[in-house]
Structures are given as structure tokens and as C-alpha cells.
Amino acid sequence: MVKLSVIVPFYNVQTFAPDMLRSLASNARSDFEFILVDDCSTDRTPEILERAVGKGGLPGARLIRHEHNRGLATARNTGLGAAEGEYLAFLDGDDWLAPGHLERLLTGIERLGCDFVRTDHVQCTGAERTIHRVPHGRRGEVMDPRDAILPAHTSTSVDYPYAWAGIYHRRLREAGLLHFPDGLRTAEDRPWIWRLHREADSFAVLGLLGVFYRRGVASSLTQIGDVRQLDFIRSFDQVLAETATDARAAEFLPKAVRTYCAIIAHHLSNIDRFEPHVARRLRTLSAAALRRMPQDLLRDALDTMDLDRTVRLRRLRVIDRLRVGGAGGPGAGAAGNEEEAA
């Protein structure tokens, strides 16, 4: 029986894939499987993966190929569909693991007996190493995931969405809680982490530092200012829509709205890195998103956020009102913008 399935999507990471695969080899065990999903890479990544699954390659490795590039969310879902393990974990193709990390992770979740475990990680930017902690102080204790969503005004577990920083029991997959929104090319883990915390029964945090997250890679989507970055709008729209149906929506929605506003403000603060037409679309879609939010919760968020973010968002709202008014009144302008946002 397969004890642990590790799902690793790859897309054009020929520079980093060999190190990542070596780190998997240093974590291999006879009851572990590694599901390598090539998301239609156009560089030498497919050759590297072929060698990994060949004779003398990575023990327990299986290779699945997409005929068309479908994005990280769908690649992870492909791996989930093929996974046979009692437990599941994720890794990205340009990151790596410390030797023995997976076994320590597995030991931790089996000892605790919970649905999922979250861990700290090491962010690697060039030669610099920075430890990032799960924003939850209680370690090694099984808790209700819903109790880790709040408070709204501080960073909590739902603000730490990294799928690869943890391990998950198979029953979550059977309950439909581990799949990612198909087609999302960025922020795919935001609806995912919110759903986990709203609907899973138990979780815990462990202070393990075995995941090394490579930041600042030129080919990474987080470094590319193209239209794919705007998928965060669809992602957070889904968070709001799903959270609104929760029995504790009145408690959780202020957190979701505030986080959505913070992400919009973050992208607006980096707007110069976007292509001009994408920057215009970012403003349009962001303004429409602000209009769709519950306005009382939006006002509360803007009244309590830091000055820099509040100013950016209020300025966007003023410009949007002027533009909508000049387009023939609030009704006509709002309808036109909603169509563009769709």
C-alpha cells in the first residue's frame, strides 16, 4: 500500500528540476510515490523527467504529461486524480526538500491523527534564506480549522495558503476539499485554503523547516506582469461567494473582504511591472471587484487598513465613480464594467 503520494507539477523548470528531483530521492521510501506532472513544458524539462522515471531514476516516480499547458491548479488536480497514497503532499518543480523531511511530516500527522498539518518553510531569494512561519502560535496541538480563520485584522492561517507547506489525509480528497479551481493561473491556493479551514474537521501546525521555496525566479508567474496575474480576481471572488454561504458568514466575511482589499492594493502598488494594457485591465477589474463586495464590510476594511493601502483603494473608487458617471450614469457604467470583469 502507498503511504504517501507527493504531487509535483513542472513547467519549463529545466534549471531547477534536477535539484528538486535529487531532494525527492533523499526523501524516498518504498511506500512513497512521486507523481510528476509535466504541464506541456517547451524546454528540456520533459527529458529530465523521462530520466527520473527511467531505470535507475527516482524510486516510486510516475510521469503524467499534459498535451496542452493548463496551469498549476489543473496540473495539481491531475496529480490528485492519480494519487494512491493514504496521505498527500505537494511540491513545486523549482523548489526542494531537506533530506528526510517527508518522513518527519508523515510521522507528525500520524501521531496527531488530524485531517491536515501545516508547516513553516524557508524562502530562498538568491543566496538569502528567510524563515516564514505559519501565522498560528499553537504548535503540535489538534484544533478546529475554523477557529484559525480569525481575527480579521491580523494575519492568520488562511493567509498562509502554500499547498506545499503541509500534508493532507486522503479523506480530504474524497470529500472534495483538496482539488484546486481548474484553470486558475495564479492565487489558485486561496479558495483552496479557505475551503480547507471552513470544511475540514481538524488540523495542526508543526514547526518543521524542510521545504525550501525558491522566490524571485525570472520565469515564475509571480515575476511576470502579464494578464495571468489577474486571475487573483476570480480566485477571491470565489472565496467571497463560498464564504457567504457558510453558517458563520457574518464572522468570516469581514476577513475575506479585508484580505481581498489587501491583495488588490498590493497589485496596484506594483502596477508599473504590468504591461500597459494589463495595468488598465487591473484597474478596471479591481474597481468592479470593490463594487461587488458587501459595501458595509468594504467601508469597515478601508477605515481600518493602513494609510498606504487605504489611499490606493479610495483613489481607485473615486476614479471609478467619475468614469462610471461620465459613461451615462451609475446604472449604465456599472453594467458595462461588470461585463468587462466577467
Side-chain angles (χ1 to χ4, degrees):
M1 177 182 177
V2 177
K3 176 62 73 171
L4 174 65
S5 299
V6 184
I7 297 158
V8 193
F10 295 81
Y11 179 66
N12 288 356
V13 287
Q14 64 180 21
T15 303
F16 309 111
D19 286 342
M20 195 281 306
L21 291 165
R22 279 191 288 271
S23 82
L24 291 184
S26 73
N27 278 268
R29 215 171 76 172
S30 60
D31 54 353
F32 288 2
E33 67 173 1
F34 302 104
I35 302 175
L36 316 178
V37 182
D38 176 31
D39 194 24
C40 197
S41 296
T42 57
D43 64 358
R44 293 183 54 251
T45 299
E47 301 171 32
I48 295 169
L49 298 181
E50 283 282 2
R51 290 197 295 271
V53 299
K55 186 176 181 180
L58 174 65
R62 288 195 281 148
L63 177 59
I64 302 174
R65 285 201 182 92
H66 284 171
E67 293 185 3
H68 305 282
N69 179 256
R70 300 170 66 186
L72 179 59
T74 302
R76 284 176 174 166
N77 289 343
T78 295
L80 280 169
E84 298 177 358
E86 180 182 357
Y87 294 92
L88 302 137
F90 300 94
L91 190 65
D92 287 350
D94 51 1
D95 300 333
W96 74 96
L97 301 175
H101 173 69
L102 292 177
E103 187 158 15
R104 290 188 290 273
L105 198 55
L106 178 62
T107 298
I109 194 170
E110 289 191 314
R111 173 174 57 84
L112 293 164
C114 54
D115 285 341
F116 67 100
V117 160
R118 307 290 282 148
T119 72
D120 306 326
H121 72 274
V122 181
Q123 179 175 298
C124 306
T125 308
E128 182 181 351
R129 302 290 185 266
T130 309
I131 294 174
H132 286 252
R133 304 286 186 188
V134 184
H136 192 88
R138 296 157 65 181
R139 304 297 170 106
E141 179 181 345
V142 178
M143 296 163 285
D144 184 340
R146 293 164 71 81
D147 293 339
I149 294 175
L150 300 176
H153 62 280
T154 61
S155 183
T156 69
S157 292
V158 291
D159 301 310
Y160 188 84
Y162 315 109
W164 34 258
I167 187 170
Y168 314 89
H169 195 281
R170 184 183 184 88
R171 58 179 168 264
L172 294 176
R173 190 192 76 166
E174 307 310 319
L177 300 184
L178 284 186
H179 282 75
F180 296 82
D182 271 316
L184 279 183
R185 295 158 294 181
T186 189
E188 75 292 330
D189 42 15
R190 295 291 185 156
W192 178 86
I193 193 68
W194 271 84
R195 189 188 317 118
L196 267 184
H197 275 275
R198 285 194 316 265
E199 300 186 29
D201 291 328
S202 59
F203 94 116
V205 177
L206 293 177
L208 296 178
L209 284 173
V211 182
F212 293 83
Y213 165 52
R214 202 184 300 271
R215 182 79 172 173
V217 178
S219 60
S220 171
L221 188 53
T222 59
Q223 304 299 308
I224 300 172
D226 69 15
V227 71
R228 292 173 293 176
Q229 282 281 3
L230 304 189
D231 278 4
F232 83 91
I233 297 282
R234 291 170 50 206
S235 174
F236 275 95
D237 279 351
Q238 182 172 338
V239 170
L240 289 190
E242 292 178 352
T243 303
T245 66
D246 193 275
R248 294 174 62 184
E251 296 175 67
F252 295 155
L253 275 174
K255 171 70 174 178
V257 168
R258 187 184 178 91
T259 305
Y260 198 170
C261 287
I263 298 298
I264 291 174
H266 167 75
H267 282 288
L268 291 175
S269 72
N270 293 289
I271 201 164
D272 290 344
R273 70 186 177 89
F274 288 94
E275 300 162 8
H277 73 283
V278 179
R280 290 192 296 271
R281 187 157 177 80
L282 169 62
R283 293 190 187 96
T284 299
L285 295 179
S286 296
L290 294 175
R291 279 188 270 112
R292 288 194 299 273
M293 294 178 192
Q295 295 301 293
D296 56 335
L297 300 183
L298 175 59
R299 285 191 294 270
D300 289 344
L302 295 179
D303 287 343
T304 56
M305 294 176 77
D306 64 84
L307 181 61
D308 181 67
R309 289 187 289 188
T310 297
V311 167
R312 291 184 189 279
L313 296 172
R314 291 190 189 279
R315 183 184 297 129
L316 179 65
R317 296 187 79 203
V318 169
I319 294 171
D320 182 53
R321 288 193 193 105
L322 293 173
R323 183 171 58 85
V324 167
N337 288 334
E338 292 298 336
E339 287 176 8
E340 186 173 352

